[in-house]
Amino acid sequence: MATFVTRAQWGARTPLSTSGNITPAEGGVVVHHVDAVKVARADHADCAAQVRGIQNYHMDSNGWSDIAYSHLACVHGYLFQGRGEYVRTAAQGTTQGNDDWYAVCALTGGISGNYDVITSQLIDAIRYGINRLRSSGGAAQAITGHRDHHATECPAALYSRVVSGEVNPGGGPLPYPGVTFRQSPATVHASVATWQQRMNTAHGFALTVDGQYGPGSDAACRTFQSRKGLTVDGLVGPTTWGTTFA
């Protein structure tokens, strides 16, 4: 299991303010990374300073009240306490994202073909962070990438680990988020974007990945359900979700 590093242990500054105005049972946990360039520290002794630098940037340059993330995970298998449980984040890039979702940031970066090594210890630390946010913070089962909430490539190479379910503490395929997608009224949820992306990459569709379950998504769902011998109702519930990510 990953090692937890408290705010006091990594030398966190006192937040300017905190907000408990968060409803994580309506969302879940979002996985982030730091940057589009490699940032992972070779020596774990340098990771606490890295987290302090991120906090300083968020507070002094961005004008935020604290480090943006709920927790941060390093490649050496340590989980650094960020804002923590039941505290609103500033990480997702949207109001709803920050209202309903926690954020776990990997202390990694890069782009396709030139990314920090994703270690098993990093995955363990991310899982530990998600488990804490579920068990102690009331987070729903959904796990998404930052790109599912906002126009960004984040978390780059880690995104495939999200969609595969590798970062899920329980293992196995990406868990059903607990929200049934339907067309009327159109479901708007970050997990819709995760499903749309999976439908494109694994099942050959060409959906717009926008997090909105509109007519195109409904039609693709019905086609997919028919192909797989499922009930054709256009609803993405536990069975259709599980088949999509199998």
Side-chain angles (χ1 to χ4, degrees):
M1 180 182 291
T3 300
F4 190 64
V5 183
T6 67
R7 290 175 65 93
Q9 288 171 327
W10 64 261
R13 292 162 59 179
T14 301
L16 299 178
S17 63
T18 59
S19 171
N21 186 22
I22 182 172
T23 50
E26 301 297 322
V29 181
V30 185
V31 176
H32 294 249
H33 74 175
V34 175
D35 208 342
V37 297
K38 291 182 176 181
V39 298
R41 301 300 194 251
D43 188 340
H44 175 63
D46 297 326
C47 290
Q50 183 181 23
V51 177
R52 290 194 297 271
I54 293 170
Q55 185 189 38
N56 289 339
Y57 181 78
H58 287 176
M59 294 179 73
D60 299 335
S61 297
N62 290 354
W64 297 339
S65 62
D66 196 0
I67 196 167
Y69 309 109
S70 306
H71 297 303
L72 303 94
C74 79
V75 296
H76 311 97
Y78 288 74
L79 185 73
F80 291 82
Q81 182 182 19
R83 295 191 178 195
E85 288 71 43
Y86 288 112
V87 179
R88 191 176 188 273
T89 75
Q92 322 312 359
T94 69
T95 298
Q96 184 179 27
N98 291 329
D99 284 347
D100 297 343
W101 298 77
Y102 290 118
V104 174
C105 181
L107 295 176
T108 56
I111 57 175
S112 178
N114 188 31
Y115 198 83
D116 282 317
V117 175
I118 299 173
T119 64
S120 59
Q121 294 97 322
L122 173 67
I123 298 299
D124 283 345
I126 294 172
R127 289 172 178 160
Y128 181 42
I130 293 171
N131 187 59
R132 282 185 63 97
L133 293 165
R134 286 177 177 173
S135 61
S136 300
Q141 293 295 300
I143 306 172
T144 58
H146 188 196
R147 62 184 288 176
D148 295 327
H149 297 256
H150 187 67
T152 176
E153 290 301 310
C154 177
L158 274 169
Y159 187 67
S160 64
R161 311 297 184 101
V162 172
V163 174
S164 71
E166 187 174 351
V167 300
N168 179 31
L174 193 67
Y176 173 61
V179 178
T180 297
F181 308 158
R182 62 186 74 242
Q183 199 277 311
S184 182
T187 302
V188 178
H189 193 273
S191 288
V192 174
T194 316
W195 177 84
Q196 290 167 330
Q197 182 72 25
R198 177 71 173 179
M199 288 285 281
N200 291 347
T201 58
H203 303 291
F205 291 90
L207 295 171
T208 299
V209 181
D210 58 5
Q212 301 183 49
Y213 194 75
S217 292
D218 178 83
C221 175
R222 291 174 186 272
T223 298
F224 178 75
Q225 289 172 328
S226 178
R227 287 179 186 172
K228 298 296 184 180
L230 306 177
T231 299
V232 180
D233 58 9
L235 303 179
V236 181
T239 300
T240 297
W241 175 278
T243 304
T244 305
F245 287 90

